[in-house]
Amino acid sequence: MPGFSAFRGDRPVPASYLRDMSNRFSEDWFGDGEDPARLDPVRIARAALKPQRPKRFYSEVSIEPSPEGFRLLLDGKPARTKLKRPLALETEAAASQLAAEWAAQDEEINPATMPVTRIAHAAIDHVAEAREAVVADILAYAGTDLVCYRAGEPEKLVALQARHWDPVLAHAQLRYGARFLLAEGITHVAQNPAAIEALHPGILRHGPAAALAALHVLTSVSGSALIALAVADGALTADAGYDAGEVDADFELDLWGADEEAAHRRAARLADFRAAAALLLALQG
């Protein structure tokens, strides 16, 4: 496929996007990172931590109006990204979320507790220059969307999928006129290109780079562009959207039980999903 050089399952991933959206939060802000691997946006939204966290180096956190929107100030000085751009978001409500994360840091700065900061950082330095690639990747998820692939059995899983996923499909049809085909199992079903294209305006309306980055986080975490749009449109709450993306995994956990590591991973993903949804809402003004 022209313009793409990597694949996530059946979903093409733009090579330039993977190159630009590298997982560099810790390195960008706090020195050399230990994992320079180039990853997708959701990995940026949950960037790996250095074993030694940096000490908190500021006392006061504030925001102020600027040409870029509302920028973050640490002890009265503008915070900047790796590329020396102001760390700013378009609305005061969104910038307040950013400031709250920095104010909440204790003696050490823990990037894992700063999802809005990570999304903003990635958006400013990367997404702003790769909008078309980000939109294309979200649409690629719709081509093999999670909610279109249904189990044939057991009955409990079939019912759970229908309960969580049917409202998502109904929203896509009602809001965008997009009717998606269902398949049983993992056999690929080719969606009508018109259905996928119908989602395009819904994605494009998230104009600010931070909003587009947040929408991509919702898509990547849930594995579904349709779930992400349903949350962004207010048809699902953030928690309901996250649960919809975790139906299969939660069913397995109910069967086999969860270990501590899996529970921690789920909690981290939920926190990122909630933060992305809240940021989208705040960016809408």
Side-chain angles (χ1 to χ4, degrees):
M1 182 178 297
F4 295 91
S5 66
F7 288 82
R8 185 191 300 107
D10 291 325
R11 292 187 281 272
V13 181
S16 62
Y17 186 44
L18 289 181
R19 182 173 64 247
D20 294 339
M21 294 291 290
S22 56
N23 181 3
R24 303 290 292 277
F25 178 83
S26 293
E27 178 177 350
D28 287 354
W29 278 90
F30 309 125
D32 293 336
E34 294 197 347
D35 181 9
R38 291 171 176 173
L39 304 170
D40 67 22
V42 69
R43 295 295 183 89
I44 289 176
R46 297 189 295 110
L49 303 182
K50 295 179 65 176
Q52 287 290 343
R53 295 174 185 153
K55 299 294 185 181
R56 175 167 170 159
F57 57 88
Y58 55 91
S59 298
E60 254 183 62
V61 180
S62 58
I63 58 174
E64 71 173 8
S66 72
E68 299 80 19
F70 290 84
R71 65 184 178 184
L72 179 73
L73 303 178
L74 301 176
D75 289 337
K77 299 177 181 179
R80 294 186 180 275
T81 68
K82 174 72 171 180
L83 298 183
K84 306 302 181 185
R85 295 164 178 164
L87 187 57
L89 291 170
E90 284 77 5
T91 68
E92 185 174 5
S96 294
Q97 293 180 358
L98 188 67
E101 290 184 346
W102 287 86
Q105 299 306 300
D106 202 351
E107 294 181 0
E108 295 180 338
I109 299 174
N110 182 359
T113 65
M114 306 169 77
V116 173
T117 299
R118 289 181 268 123
I119 293 171
H121 185 86
I124 293 165
D125 276 357
H126 305 293
V127 174
E129 298 173 355
R131 291 176 185 270
E132 290 184 7
V134 180
V135 171
D137 197 37
I138 294 173
L139 288 173
Y141 271 87
T144 56
D145 206 274
L146 171 73
V147 303
C148 296
Y149 292 84
R150 303 300 181 94
E153 58 180 12
E155 290 184 9
K156 183 179 179 180
L157 178 57
V158 172
L160 281 172
Q161 289 178 343
R163 177 157 59 88
H164 286 278
W165 295 351
D166 286 357
V168 175
L169 289 166
H171 172 73
Q173 186 166 1
L174 181 64
R175 178 71 178 260
Y176 300 105
R179 184 175 181 275
F180 282 79
L181 304 176
L182 303 186
E184 186 173 309
I186 60 174
T187 302
H188 175 67
V189 57
Q191 299 294 343
N192 186 338
I196 297 173
E197 183 57 28
L199 304 178
H200 207 164
I203 298 171
L204 291 179
R205 77 180 181 86
H206 299 286
L212 192 56
L215 184 66
H216 197 293
V217 169
L218 295 180
T219 302
S220 300
V221 171
S222 66
S224 168
L226 298 183
I227 290 174
L229 284 170
V231 172
D233 294 337
L236 291 180
T237 65
D239 283 14
Y242 183 79
D243 287 344
E246 294 292 305
V247 167
D248 292 344
D250 287 347
F251 179 77
E252 292 293 327
L253 288 177
D254 284 343
L255 283 180
W256 308 110
D259 57 28
E260 184 176 347
E261 182 179 351
H264 177 76
R265 188 164 55 247
R266 191 188 195 284
R269 286 164 54 84
L270 175 57
D272 287 344
F273 197 88
R274 285 172 171 168
L279 179 58
L280 269 177
L281 182 62
L283 286 166
Q284 292 171 5

